Amino acid sequence: MTRRRRVYEGKAKVLFEGPEPGTLVQYFKDDATAFNGEKKSTVTGKGVLNNRISEHLMNRLTEIGVQNHFIRRLNMREQLIKEVEIIPVEVIVRNVAAGSICTRLGLKEGNALPRSLVEFCYKSDELNDPLIAEEHITTFGWATPRELDEIMNMSLRVNDFLCGLFTGIGIRLVDFKLEFGRYFNGDEMQVILADEISPDNCRLWDLETNEKLDKDRFRRDLGGVEAAYQEVARRLGIMPEGGPGDLKGSTAIQ
Ligand code: UDP
């Protein structure tokens, strides 16, 4: 196999140059990190599951017209995506109080918010992804007012759709993080959804028991991380080809 050029390595994913111009290969690792990289471990099979879960959710979003970077899954751990210029803003959508908003505002975890709330953080590990306002985004030119409008609309649309999808499989979508990028197609530029949507960047609670089916199991040392991710995949109807026994996936990445 020819050696591919590594374009970027993040905490949970690696991006390689794609087979055609304007494409990248997104490789999902088993590495898990929390608290801005202070806590590190590996969760066997996580990359395989996130690859599948993100594929499924991006495909469903494509079906309802939410443009995103996903092209097709290549294998157990890799997917082909459109190359975008990432907008350095993390968009957090919340339906229920959990995580940082509870400490920040003294809210009780688990209380439904009066309405869906969109927050923004500046994407910077160095600064620990600080919370920012829309004004910062436009003042510093991270996105134009028009792009921000588009991002806000898309985020709320994704939230409405995913809330329904997860409710249908007995899961409460508590909150999640999205990233967007600029996709250049000839003379046209479009803001599209990028990154991934998986239990790594969503809080997913069982509707009946409130059991956590997401990365909080890792963050809070609750155990059963891979079992929780598997349960999400199972309910979505997308367990990997070989079933739960086949979660290792290929480790050869080049
Ligand atoms: N999140 C993420 N990456 C980040 C920060 C947050 O994917 O760098 C997700 C997180 O998994 C959760 C939501 O965004 O679903 C809200 O996270 P929060 O601000 O509560 O931060 P946390 O408590 O995870 O530090």
Side-chain angles (χ1 to χ4, degrees):
M1 199 192 276
T2 51
R3 221 179 149 74
R4 289 171 302 182
R5 195 168 71 85
R6 190 181 294 240
V7 178
Y8 173 82
E9 175 146 13
K11 298 186 198 96
K13 297 188 290 289
V14 188
L15 296 178
F16 295 97
E17 211 165 52
E20 299 119 40
T23 65
L24 295 173
V25 173
Q26 178 163 254
Y27 175 93
F28 288 75
K29 300 191 274 187
D30 281 345
D31 295 355
T33 65
F35 313 119
N36 200 17
E38 266 172 49
K39 181 179 166 116
K40 277 191 200 139
S41 189
T42 50
V43 176
T44 309
K46 178 173 81 74
V48 175
L49 286 161
N50 283 352
N51 188 21
R52 294 300 298 250
I53 293 170
S54 200
E55 169 195 19
H56 181 80
L57 297 176
M58 292 291 187
N59 277 336
R60 298 291 78 76
L61 288 168
T62 300
E63 285 165 9
I64 62 151
V66 175
Q67 307 283 335
N68 63 74
H69 73 167
F70 182 83
I71 302 174
R72 66 175 183 277
R73 189 167 60 84
L74 298 171
N75 55 50
M76 298 279 275
R77 285 185 183 273
E78 295 177 323
Q79 48 183 243
L80 187 67
I81 58 170
K82 292 175 181 165
E83 182 172 23
V84 297
E85 180 185 283
I86 287 286
I87 294 172
V89 171
E90 297 194 339
V91 181
I92 295 183
V93 186
R94 301 181 184 274
N95 300 301
V96 175
S100 68
I101 197 171
C102 294
T103 25
R104 196 175 350 115
L105 301 179
L107 304 181
K108 188 169 173 293
E109 180 157 283
N111 282 358
L113 298 172
R115 58 178 185 152
S116 301
L117 180 67
V118 181
E119 294 180 334
F120 302 101
C121 292
Y122 179 48
K123 229 174 111 64
S124 162
D125 284 343
E126 220 169 278
L127 301 174
N128 212 357
D129 299 343
L131 185 73
I132 50 170
E134 293 191 28
E135 281 284 298
H136 295 93
I137 301 175
T138 50
T139 298
F140 294 112
W142 296 323
T144 65
R146 253 181 82 176
E147 287 172 338
L148 193 52
D149 220 41
E150 183 78 9
I151 288 171
M152 191 79 177
N153 288 337
M154 283 173 88
S155 300
L156 290 172
R157 183 122 194 272
V158 170
N159 184 47
D160 283 347
F161 179 75
L162 291 185
C163 275
L165 183 146
F166 280 115
T167 303
I169 55 169
I171 290 175
R172 176 175 297 125
L173 180 59
V174 170
D175 57 31
F176 58 95
K177 187 257 298 183
L178 298 176
E179 291 186 25
F180 293 86
R182 297 183 188 93
Y183 176 59
F184 297 91
N185 193 4
D187 285 345
E188 299 220 333
M189 191 280 287
Q190 223 184 341
V191 172
I192 65 173
L193 183 60
D195 193 44
E196 67 176 292
I197 308 179
S198 74
D200 263 11
N201 50 29
C202 300
R203 282 197 172 91
L204 304 168
W205 296 356
D206 182 271
L207 261 181
E208 305 259 294
T209 64
N210 280 333
E211 189 193 351
K212 296 182 199 306
L213 300 172
D214 56 59
K215 198 169 145 187
D216 270 351
R217 300 207 72 85
F218 170 74
R219 292 191 190 97
R220 303 181 188 187
D221 290 321
L222 300 174
V225 186
E226 57 274 56
Y229 283 47
Q230 267 176 42
E231 178 61 15
V232 174
R234 190 191 65 77
R235 292 196 200 181
L236 288 168
I238 50 158
M239 277 306 281
E241 287 91 345
D246 191 13
L247 287 174
K248 222 166 152 271
S250 153
T251 46
I253 57 172
Q254 335 224 346

